[in-house]
Amino acid sequence: MRIPFVPSLPGPAPAVVRRVLGDDADAAESTGADTDVAGQPVPTVASGAGPGASAADPRLATPPLRVDRSSDADRNPVLTAADVADTPHVSFVADPFVVRAGSADAVSEPYHCFFEVKRRDRRPFLCLRDTEARFDIGHATSPDGRDWTYEGVVLPAAQAEHTYPHVFHHDDDWWMVPSPAGSTPDELRVYRAADFPTDWELVETTLAGEVRIDPTPFEYDGTWFLVHQAPDYTVRLRYSDRLVGGEWHEHPASPLFDPGGNDIAPGGRPLVDASAGTVDLFFRRGDPGIVEAWRVVDPSRDEWSMHELPTSPVVSGSGEPGAWDERNVHHVDAGLARATGSDLVLVDGQDADRRYRLGVARTRDFDGGTDEAERAALASRTVHPGERAVLSVTGTLAVPEGGWYRVSVRPQVESPGPVAVETTCSAGAASASGTFDVAADGRGHVALGPVALAPGDRPVVELQHDGGRPVRVTGGAVRLRGW
């Protein structure tokens, strides 16, 4: 059974970082200004000194991963609250980070998954009522990365409350940099394994009052970088000479995102490719429940050129009623897929009752699917005020084979004066809309996807406006780009 991506489009880009969407990046040129996927103006890319990378940089052409959950759909979820046998009243499990001790070809070495365990203790005399939530870090093992056995809590709330247990190997030690939670203050805490994987000791506490959730460190070219959400809900970027014992300086490009609410935060392990000069970062958005992929090219202490990748979002809620991941996916760990050649990807998913569980997925072959762009033209049409007009798609545009596609719509409109025109594009079960202000050039852009389409599906384009006079659609284009 194929699980499609969620039938919705992420909201406008944050006001600090420009979205560069691969082949769709020329949409910005078509409007005569920088625009996001909904056609709204946004400033230029957040970076330090220097021009950074352009959208034409070949290092932006290769997606970090393509998540395919169809092959393992029948086994999901692989870990749930019911599996946590040593802790009572567990609400859900989330935020999986997966590592493997030993070398990549050591098939006897198990996979280790560390994850958030959220629970609620009971009042001693009113046992039917809950107290405030408590947070532990749990641990599970697997021989193959797909069948998991819960082993127990390795960082209990009594020691410190944490979520988002970012575990990684560095300088012959195992490290954990988790997120503050519950009673733990807003600060960066670094743990080292005294006895991997069960015994963790606190080795440093820093950035008091600065780290709200999801601190995500990584090393590149001798510098440690740290991405995290701050107490004011901005996503901050810092750098240091060392993971432990150094001073974390705020980067000139910080904040990376300034949403004005708890809309975006780090959402998984960074993928560092020093030979290619890139770092792939993942960010979760709470609404509509997706994980975006952004690539940083040649990061340094002074420069930060970051672009959203063509396959973003890489994973999202399925939208299927009753599914374990119906509402939301907000975390992905593809570290083993990059480091060991495994196709293993772990995600979490939220059902209709807001319970998170863990699921397994695979990465797709980059050479698979339909990578050639399919194009078609929009026929001319007059759209009257208040009317929702369906625009015919000329030619024979149709999906040649099933799979995931990004749909891009660029109408051209003639109008006697400025008017806001809403464009809606639907394909299969997915749809998206954006409003653009018709100006002198009368062009707009809406990108939709990625979405799952079946062979023969054809996109449907609609326009509506509330101006005083009719507007005329003189043409435009629709594009399908397959994965």
Side-chain angles (χ1 to χ4, degrees):
M1 179 180 72
R2 179 176 294 279
I3 300 178
F5 283 84
V6 66
S8 58
L9 181 73
V16 179
V17 182
R18 177 180 176 183
R19 302 166 73 94
V20 180
L21 299 172
D23 283 356
D24 290 335
D26 57 342
E29 298 175 2
S30 72
T31 61
D34 292 335
T35 59
D36 66 13
V37 293
Q40 301 299 316
V42 296
T44 56
V45 62
S47 64
S54 69
D57 192 315
R59 290 172 294 183
L60 298 174
T62 302
L65 59 92
R66 298 169 179 178
V67 176
D68 182 359
R69 290 184 286 168
S70 61
S71 57
D72 291 289
D74 292 341
R75 75 171 70 230
N76 282 332
V78 297
L79 280 171
T80 72
D83 294 312
V84 183
D86 59 345
T87 303
H89 315 308
V90 176
S91 302
F92 62 67
V93 293
D95 294 346
F97 283 91
V98 184
V99 296
R100 193 176 191 183
S103 60
D105 57 356
V107 294
S108 61
E109 294 289 346
Y111 293 87
H112 298 269
C113 180
F114 300 87
F115 53 93
E116 167 194 347
V117 176
K118 181 180 179 180
R119 60 182 171 86
R120 291 186 180 274
D121 293 335
R122 302 291 180 173
R123 296 180 186 272
F125 301 109
L126 300 174
C127 61
L128 297 180
R129 298 184 63 186
D130 293 340
T131 62
E132 293 183 356
R134 303 297 303 275
F135 299 91
D136 307 290
I137 298 301
H139 170 237
T141 59
S142 170
D144 58 5
R146 289 178 171 80
D147 294 311
W148 290 90
T149 300
Y150 177 75
E151 301 290 349
V153 167
V154 296
L155 191 57
Q159 180 178 348
E161 292 191 77
H162 288 293
T163 62
Y164 195 78
H166 183 196
V167 173
F168 55 95
H169 196 257
H170 172 68
D171 281 351
D172 297 325
D173 282 314
W174 286 100
W175 302 85
M176 180 192 296
V177 179
S179 174
S183 59
T184 301
D186 290 343
E187 59 192 13
L188 181 68
R189 293 192 173 192
V190 180
Y191 293 82
R192 181 170 48 211
D195 184 12
F196 181 87
T198 58
D199 187 6
W200 296 87
E201 59 182 9
L202 180 65
V203 296
E204 183 173 81
T205 299
T206 186
L207 293 177
E210 299 292 334
V211 179
R212 179 178 180 269
I213 57 171
D214 301 344
T216 307
F218 63 92
E219 184 186 22
Y220 181 87
D221 195 22
T223 296
W224 280 90
F225 295 92
L226 177 69
V227 182
H228 65 91
Q229 190 189 89
D232 63 357
Y233 299 103
T234 59
V235 176
R236 298 280 169 171
L237 172 64
R238 301 175 186 271
Y239 65 89
S240 175
D241 292 329
R242 298 179 296 277
L243 173 65
V244 175
E247 182 178 356
W248 290 100
H249 305 278
E250 186 139 13
H251 196 282
S254 184
L256 298 179
F257 298 93
D258 189 2
N262 190 19
D263 177 61
I264 189 167
R269 182 189 307 276
L271 302 182
V272 179
D273 190 340
S275 61
T278 63
V279 178
D280 294 332
L281 299 177
F282 300 93
F283 296 95
R284 62 169 175 85
R285 287 188 182 272
D287 185 11
I290 59 174
V291 178
E292 298 177 347
W294 294 71
R295 177 159 293 172
V296 188
V297 177
D298 291 331
S300 72
R301 303 182 185 199
D302 301 315
E303 298 183 9
W304 191 265
S305 177
M306 188 167 82
H307 303 254
E308 188 174 15
L309 287 163
T311 53
S312 179
V314 294
V315 68
S316 57
S318 68
E320 291 189 352
W324 72 279
D325 57 350
E326 175 183 352
R327 292 192 72 254
N328 190 328
V329 167
H330 84 335
H331 184 98
V332 58
D333 185 1
L336 286 172
R338 171 66 62 85
T340 69
S342 165
D343 62 354
L344 172 67
V345 178
L346 252 68
V347 300
D348 60 10
Q350 188 184 65
D351 64 14
D353 295 325
R354 301 180 180 272
R355 295 171 298 185
Y356 277 103
R357 305 168 188 178
L358 307 188
V360 67
R362 302 173 188 245
T363 56
R364 296 184 66 199
D365 187 346
F366 287 121
D367 296 328
T370 304
D371 291 325
E372 294 298 322
E374 299 286 342
R375 301 168 182 258
L378 288 176
S380 60
R381 172 69 188 267
T382 299
V383 184
H384 296 274
E387 176 188 15
R388 180 168 291 278
V390 176
L391 301 180
S392 60
V393 178
T394 63
T396 58
L397 177 65
V399 178
E401 60 183 74
W404 284 278
Y405 292 81
R406 181 179 294 280
V407 182
S408 177
V409 183
R410 298 180 185 135
Q412 291 179 286
V413 176
E414 286 185 354
S415 172
V419 63
V421 177
E422 180 183 357
T423 304
T424 301
C425 179
S426 59
S431 66
S433 63
T435 300
F436 64 95
D437 293 324
V438 176
D441 61 1
R443 300 188 182 192
H445 171 239
V446 170
L448 166 65
V451 294
L453 302 180
D457 279 355
R458 178 189 296 269
V460 176
V461 181
E462 299 177 83
L463 256 66
Q464 182 177 22
H465 77 98
D466 297 323
R469 299 183 185 181
V471 299
R472 182 172 178 78
V473 180
T474 59
V478 178
R479 172 186 293 180
L480 295 182
R481 180 170 176 81
W483 282 20

